[in-house]
Amino acid sequence: MGYPAIVVNREKLMNNTKVLAEKCGRLGIDVVPVTKVYCGIPEIAEASVSAGVRMLADSRIENILKLEKLNVEKMLLRIPMLSQADKVVEHVDISLNSEYETIRTISEKALQKGKIHKIVLMIDLGDLREGVWYEDAVEFAGRIIELPGVKLVGIGTNLTCYGAVIPSRENLGLLTALADEIEKKYNLKLNIISGGNSSSLHLVEKGQVPKGINQLRLGEAIVLGNETAYGERIDGTYGDVFTYMAEIIELKEKPSLPIGEIGVDAFGEKPVFTDRGIRKRAILASGRQDLKVDGIQPRDKGAIVIGASSDHLIVDVTDCVKEYKVGDIMEFDLGYGALLAAFTSEYVEKIIK
Ligand SMILES: *Cc1c(COP(=O)(O)O)cnc(C)c1O
């Protein structure tokens, strides 16, 4: 085994998926696990599938391609690139959309291939990331329905991503009201009303999800066991599905203040230092190329991450009970951003258990 490495416990991931699928299932809500944080690695996604879900979702077609062998529907989360319309029709079962020109092109490509592509119309309820503005949604839905190569199977929204707007009875109530209006006006049934991501789970816990919402797309809640509106842990889930491991390459006692005039560091930032006397510092062979350093937490409670450059991670181990030596491996919990970076870095070995 080489380092740095990220170790995945599939048993725990399956448990998290199951716990969330049950909590949501009681309210008639389907859970769609989101695989993008681990780059759609199929051996990992399989653990979520084995918890009994019917669909997986990812932002990138490249990841969806990796999931091809898993026998569930695949949803494309990011609004498709016009240049990928052809691939969307070929490899994706359902895509989230908000641009007429793109949907029209998807419709054309689908007809050429003798397919009907399923569309979920994304509606912006005020978070200001993707979606047609809620006041325009009903009319927009009417234009999608006229396209022969696509089928409007649902509507959805995404909150707490850009504008940090928290899902509520009011804003998700607006989504279900729009669904009713579209169904009545065009005399059709929308099978999917997709009420957001891990930030909608607080409403599940409180039993406040508006009736009609029947799907949530969950990434962070499944991989880290967090609801993301208020940052609470979810009961019954594991927070340690992933373990990051890095190796100590230098271990020395040094002052906590650098010597000399302080300019800017390798990333153009001016560092600030506190004088805590002589400290024992471990340098680990890992850095910003593999991690988001402010999103990592050593498992050893005595250790403190004090900084990183591209390839070096500096950890203060003065207060650790364990006597570390060069060559020892330290373990870390990762936040969402660090997890994303670790999976994306080709220098990090992925170990799936
Ligand atoms: C990433 C993403 C999700 C999952 O978000 P989490 O906060 O990780 O649950 C859901 N929907 C869309 C459109 C996304 O891009």
Side-chain angles (χ1 to χ4, degrees):
M1 176 169 168
Y3 301 100
I6 185 155
V7 181
V8 187
N9 183 319
R10 288 194 287 181
E11 192 72 32
K12 290 183 176 176
L13 188 72
M14 180 181 65
N15 168 84
N16 286 6
T17 314
K18 209 171 209 162
V19 165
L20 286 157
E22 276 165 14
K23 276 185 205 283
C24 293
R26 269 179 240 131
L27 303 177
I29 298 169
D30 270 345
V31 165
V32 179
V34 171
T35 60
K36 68 190 182 203
V37 79
Y38 52 85
C39 304
I41 295 177
E43 293 78 10
I44 304 176
E46 204 175 10
S48 271
V49 170
S50 68
V53 299
R54 287 183 293 187
M55 201 189 289
L56 290 174
D58 203 287
S59 303
R60 297 174 192 250
I61 300 229
E62 293 78 356
N63 292 346
I64 287 186
L65 276 168
K66 299 186 208 166
L67 301 170
E68 206 120 69
K69 290 222 169 66
L70 299 175
N71 190 21
V72 288
E73 282 199 289
K74 317 296 181 323
M75 171 184 265
L76 181 65
L77 292 171
R78 188 170 64 187
I79 305 305
M81 293 183 220
L82 196 50
S83 62
Q84 288 190 332
D86 207 50
K87 283 193 177 153
V88 171
V89 171
E90 194 63 44
H91 303 292
V92 173
D93 300 298
I94 301 187
S95 59
L96 308 184
N97 281 272
S98 64
E99 284 291 346
Y100 184 75
E101 200 47 35
T102 308
I103 302 170
R104 198 184 53 73
T105 308
I106 288 175
S107 171
E108 268 172 22
K109 303 279 181 195
L111 283 182
Q112 285 165 13
K113 292 180 201 288
K115 290 185 168 186
I116 303 280
H117 181 79
K118 295 183 206 157
I119 300 266
V120 169
L121 172 62
M122 289 302 274
I123 300 178
D124 189 342
L125 302 174
D127 195 59
L128 308 183
R129 205 178 76 175
E130 72 272 44
V132 295
W133 195 243
Y134 64 93
E135 289 163 318
D136 307 327
V138 175
E139 182 265 342
F140 196 99
R143 295 169 67 204
I144 301 177
I145 292 159
E146 285 166 9
L147 296 168
V150 296
K151 181 170 162 57
L152 181 69
V153 294
I155 61 172
T157 197
N158 198 53
L159 292 161
T160 342
C161 263
Y162 174 73
V165 172
I166 290 179
S168 64
R169 252 196 289 218
E170 291 70 35
N171 52 31
L172 289 187
L174 177 55
L175 187 70
T176 58
L178 287 168
D180 286 344
E181 204 178 327
I182 291 168
E183 288 186 339
K184 287 212 181 75
K185 180 160 181 185
Y186 304 110
N187 190 28
L188 53 81
K189 172 95 185 90
L190 295 174
N191 290 322
I192 295 174
I193 306 189
S194 194
N197 54 48
S198 300
S199 70
S200 294
L201 281 169
H202 74 103
L203 295 173
V204 172
E205 299 281 347
K206 297 178 200 143
Q208 290 184 354
V209 183
K211 202 171 154 307
I213 301 287
N214 63 8
Q215 182 188 84
L216 293 179
R217 312 173 306 268
L218 302 181
E220 182 160 348
I222 291 178
V223 294
L224 291 172
N226 298 326
E227 70 78 30
T228 55
Y230 301 101
E232 305 278 345
R233 296 265 325 125
I234 300 164
D235 285 347
T237 60
Y238 293 104
D240 59 352
V241 172
F242 301 94
T243 304
Y244 191 79
M245 300 172 116
E247 180 173 336
I248 298 175
I249 53 172
E250 182 186 296
L251 195 61
K252 295 193 190 302
E253 300 210 331
K254 290 187 186 176
S256 32
L257 287 183
I259 296 169
E261 189 192 344
I262 305 296
V264 292
D265 67 16
F267 294 87
E269 289 155 20
K270 186 144 191 149
V272 193
F273 301 95
T274 320
D275 190 359
R276 299 155 78 206
I278 302 285
R279 306 291 292 180
K280 190 184 212 175
R281 297 152 21 111
I283 298 183
L284 286 78
S286 187
R288 295 208 205 184
Q289 198 146 26
D290 321 304
L291 284 173
K292 184 169 168 281
V293 179
D294 53 4
I296 69 175
Q297 183 63 47
R299 291 260 168 92
D300 185 331
K301 293 302 163 216
I304 310 162
V305 172
I306 53 178
S309 54
S310 317
D311 313 294
H312 298 78
L313 177 64
I314 309 170
V315 180
D316 184 325
V317 294
T318 317
D319 301 330
C320 294
V321 177
K322 180 175 162 140
E323 277 291 330
Y324 286 101
K325 327 181 285 303
V326 166
D328 279 352
I329 305 300
M330 291 191 79
E331 296 186 349
F332 300 83
D333 286 311
L334 304 185
Y336 192 85
L339 200 56
L340 187 66
F343 272 103
T344 310
S345 170
E346 63 174 276
Y347 305 103
V348 177
E349 190 160 328
K350 285 86 183 173
I351 313 277
I352 298 160
K353 294 231 159 116

